[in-house]
């Protein structure tokens, strides 16, 4: 069993430090360096559980290369049970990479984590799940970049039903681990399975299977990579509400919708209609806000565009 190590994050505001637990396993044969992280969002538990189990099962005797595995990057959000944001300053850690030593708490945290765990790896997998108010259909994201074909290979090998390519000039998810990694030439993906902050065993197993697939794909283990033909999407339409109120979706995740199709309604708290949400393009909702409570400019859903849309 691998022996856990600790990376101490220093230089945070008010001289706070954080001790980030991880494992680092070097195989008996030559191979690439793969870094696997989770807990960028502190309440996405299926991804955290998967990295914990994956890390403890690593065996140098059967490994080619090196694996660094970090179950929880965002300790402040994990301990506070805070969805999406770091509670210290209210910023989303996955919009702050590669970080900034001159910024606020989350910017400094992102900088330290990025330069410790991402900047010197060969490949990056960042595992996520639907947060507490999010329903989700499993999917992976990679970025347009000079290394995008290698990143796409990771996404397809992971074995989820949908893969989204994010254009470099129109990033919906800017400041993410995978986008910042792509910018410095590291093939990287985000892989999502699980929803609503629930520790669901089926979703954990989905992540574990994806990790095994990628290890085999990279030649780090002797396993076979199952054939995978995900639906591939050329980008996103993320829909927000111009008004706060009560959100009632009319669609479910994984459902194909046409351009102009009704996706749901945001009404006032008495029930009067205020804003009807329609699809700007044909696509598939891969995540949606499952909580009725939405604020002005709140995110309602992510519509993965159809390839010919």
């Amino acid at each position: 069993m691998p022996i856990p190590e600790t990376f101490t994050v220093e230089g945070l505001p008010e001289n706070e430090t954080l001790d980030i637990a991880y494992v680092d396993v070097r195989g008996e044969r030559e191979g690439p360096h793969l870094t696997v992280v989770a807990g960028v969002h502190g309440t996405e538990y299926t991804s955290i559980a998967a990295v914990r189990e994956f890390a403890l099962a690593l065996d140098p005797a059967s490994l080619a290369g090196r694996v660094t595995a970090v179950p929880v990057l965002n300790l402040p959000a994990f301990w506070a049970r805070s969805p999406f944001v770091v509670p210290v300053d209210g910023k989303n850690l996955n919009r702050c990479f590669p970080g900034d030593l001159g910024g606020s708490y989350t910017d400094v945290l992102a900088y330290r984590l990025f330069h410790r765990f991402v900047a010197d790896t060969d490949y990056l997998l960042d595992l996520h799940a639907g947060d507490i108010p999010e329903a989700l259909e499993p999917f992976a994201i990679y970025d347009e970049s000079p290394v995008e074909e290698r990143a796409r290979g990771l996404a397809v090998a992971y074995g989820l039903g949908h893969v989204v390519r994010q254009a470099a000039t129109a990033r919906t998810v800017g400041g993410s681990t995978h986008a910042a990694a792509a910018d410095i030439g590291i093939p990287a993906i985000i892989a999502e399975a699980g929803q609503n902050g629930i520790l669901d065993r089926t979703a954990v197993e989905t992540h574990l299977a994806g990790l095994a697939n990628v290890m085999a794909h990279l030649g780090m283990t002797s396993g076979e990579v199952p054939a995978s033909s995900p639906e591939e999407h050329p980008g996103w339409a993320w829909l927000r509400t111009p008004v706060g109120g009560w959100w009632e979706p009319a669609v479910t995740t994984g459902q194909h919708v046409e351009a102009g199709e009704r996706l749901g309604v945001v009404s006032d708290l008495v029930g009067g209609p205020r804003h009807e949400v329609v699809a700007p393009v044909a696509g598939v909702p891969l995540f949606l806000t499952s909580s009725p409570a939405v604020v002005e400019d709140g995110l309602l859903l992510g519509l993965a565009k159809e390839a010919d849309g």
Side-chain angles (χ1 to χ4, degrees):
M1 179 181 294
I3 298 174
E5 302 179 51
T6 299
F7 168 58
T8 300
V9 180
E10 299 178 329
L12 295 168
E14 299 184 11
N15 296 316
E16 181 182 346
T17 60
L18 293 173
D19 290 331
I20 308 293
Y22 69 99
V23 301
D24 196 281
V25 177
R26 297 171 188 260
E28 296 182 356
R29 293 171 287 127
E30 292 297 316
H33 181 192
L34 172 67
T35 296
V36 181
V37 303
V40 171
H41 296 136
T43 57
E44 297 179 1
Y45 299 119
T46 59
S47 52
I48 295 170
V51 176
R52 291 177 76 244
E53 294 185 31
F54 169 76
L56 294 178
L58 289 168
D59 179 11
S62 61
L63 177 65
R66 174 186 175 192
V67 175
T68 304
V70 192
V72 185
L73 281 181
N74 189 347
L75 282 178
F78 177 79
W79 292 123
R81 300 173 183 159
S82 172
F84 301 117
V85 301
V86 176
V88 180
D89 58 7
K91 289 186 176 181
N92 185 334
L93 178 60
N94 215 32
R95 303 295 180 269
C96 294
F97 290 102
D100 179 4
L101 287 178
S104 68
Y105 185 102
T106 303
D107 301 306
V108 176
L109 176 60
Y111 181 93
R112 297 296 188 197
L113 294 173
F114 187 80
H115 287 273
R116 174 60 183 85
F117 293 114
V118 178
D120 67 346
T121 195
D122 295 321
Y123 297 93
L124 174 70
L125 305 180
D126 182 2
L127 276 57
H128 285 252
D131 219 318
I132 290 172
E134 281 185 315
L136 183 139
E137 183 78 8
F139 65 91
I141 312 173
Y142 71 96
D143 274 73
E144 176 189 2
S145 77
V147 295
E148 70 174 273
E149 281 306 310
R150 292 160 66 195
R152 177 183 174 275
L154 300 177
V156 173
Y158 208 90
L160 305 177
H162 299 267
V163 169
V164 182
R165 176 183 183 269
Q166 180 169 252
T169 56
R171 280 179 172 162
T172 308
V173 190
S176 64
T177 55
H178 66 97
D183 286 344
I184 60 171
I186 296 171
I189 65 169
I190 280 180
E192 302 249 10
Q195 59 184 347
N196 293 119
I198 297 170
L199 185 53
D200 172 63
R201 189 65 211 174
T202 299
V204 175
E205 294 288 350
T206 296
H207 274 306
L208 289 172
L211 291 169
N213 293 345
V214 168
M215 294 273 282
H217 169 75
L218 294 175
M220 301 179 74
T221 63
S222 59
E224 295 291 328
V225 183
S228 177
S229 299
E231 184 171 353
E232 299 196 45
H233 305 273
W236 290 104
W238 279 25
L239 303 185
R240 297 181 175 273
T241 174
V243 294
W246 181 275
W247 161 239
E248 293 185 72
V251 294
T252 60
T253 58
Q255 174 184 338
H256 284 262
V257 300
E258 298 299 326
E261 186 170 340
R262 183 172 176 269
L263 301 177
V265 172
V266 179
S267 60
D268 64 33
L269 297 187
V270 179
R274 295 183 65 184
H275 176 66
E276 184 169 279
V277 181
V278 299
V281 294
V284 182
L286 293 183
F287 68 85
L288 63 81
T289 297
S290 52
S291 163
V294 293
V295 297
E296 182 179 342
D297 197 41
L299 182 60
L300 299 177
L301 59 87
L303 184 67
K305 298 177 182 179
E306 285 191 359
D308 57 353

